[in-house]
Amino acid sequence: MDYEMLLLRFGEITVKGKNRSRFEKAALSHVKSLLRAFPGTEAIHEYGRIYVRLNGQAADPVISSLKNIFGLTSISPVKVSPSKLEDIVEIAVDFVKSIPADKYKTFKVHGRRVFKGFPHSSQEMNHLVGGPVLSACPHLKVDVHHPDLELRVEVRERVTYLFCEVIPAAGGFPLGTNGKAMMLLSGGIDSPVAGYSAMRRGLEIECVHFHSYPYTSKKAEEKVLELAQVLSGFSGRIKVHLVPFTDIQTSLAKTGQDNLIITLMRRSMLRIATKLAEKNGGLALVTGDSLGQVASQTLASMNVIGKVTDLPLLRPLVMMDKEDIISMAKRIGTYDISILPYEDCCTLFVPKSPATNPNLRIVEHVEKELADLDHMIEAAVENTESVIVKPHVIIRKNQKDEPEVVQEQWF
């Protein structure tokens, strides 16, 4: 099917009142950036909508790219007609005739007269267009309640749009319209879903990943960068901060507080993420915590862990079931990467009996005994490597040789 244009609809941002234009401009900017891959296409913004002139480009690949833009709720490929009845009828008939006869058995016309100067009402348009379509396509029957095919005819002053498909898009708020946050990205199933959810609410995210060379392999890091690459498909690019965490982990392990090691580790991670947020303009931290899923995600543990930061802690998955999280991971394309077996620093060491109700006073006392902890946190921030990840490329300043993995020496 050859279409002339795409019609892009906004969702939640239409209730933003005086701020609405800012949100629409952000979505338009994202649309234009993705259209660079399709030479000749052109984005046109009207209040409440974006139109994309295809100018000969096939509609399907453009739609596949644009439907991941946050802030858009749906996309329709449209045929365009002059706003004259005879032209509208002719194009409507050709449009429906071009659809394979075995695909639909029933249809209806849904006319909408946006331009009130058009001489026929919306109700009249249903009959004036539907009659010729029925005559030209005798295999179709009219069903106004549950039609297989609904031909929408939207009459505007200069042109009329005809379309049958309404393809769901990502929804939410345009990227970055609600600020920037640092997201703790592991190689697991949850954190990429949390990142997607955060971006869908209009946050620009930068990812923070903690590695423990030589106890973790380069494969674990590559897995995380692959996950970030999937997420970059929704944002265009993502910065990933790779934090060396080995010294801190080994120091925490030497305290002899095995049951508190996860709590201590998570608190250090949040301290580092907070410092990176301050350096990079982040106003919140995003984690993949889901209430009750593991020891560090009980309410008591999240309370003790979260005490170390003054930034808002955003937990998009906190009330979601694991099955729902897995379903979303499959839908956004991160699940198959997340289940690869390469261990990260969070999974390498899990005590037999991790504390599910840690005592804040005891945890703070253990940390005070570590005289070098603040220095090690500063060093970890200082030695962090930042990588730019785009859908088809990963840009990093230094590519180090992979060290020998010595997991058998881990604690």
Side-chain angles (χ1 to χ4, degrees), residues 11 18 23 32 56 82 102 104 108 114 153 173 183 192 196 225 236 238 253 255 267 287 328 331 341 386 410:
K18 294 180 180 178
F23 288 83
K32 287 182 175 178
D102 59 347
Y104 303 107
K108 70 178 268 190
V114 179
V153 181
F173 291 119
M183 191 198 74
Y196 171 85
L225 292 177
I238 284 181
T255 61
R267 281 167 63 91
T287 74
M328 187 179 290
R331 183 165 58 81
S386 297
W410 185 250

Side-chain angles (χ1 to χ4, degrees), residues 125 228 349:
M125 287 297 293
F349 174 67

Side-chain angles (χ1 to χ4, degrees), residues 10-27 47-48 71 171-174 176-179 200-203:
F10 297 122
E12 195 172 343
I13 63 178
T14 58
V15 298
K16 280 298 178 182
K18 294 180 180 178
N19 291 322
R20 177 173 168 174
S21 61
R22 179 172 69 86
F23 288 83
E24 292 194 5
K25 286 179 181 176
Y47 186 70
F173 291 119
T177 50
N178 283 325
R200 191 167 184 267
R201 298 308 296 168
L203 280 176

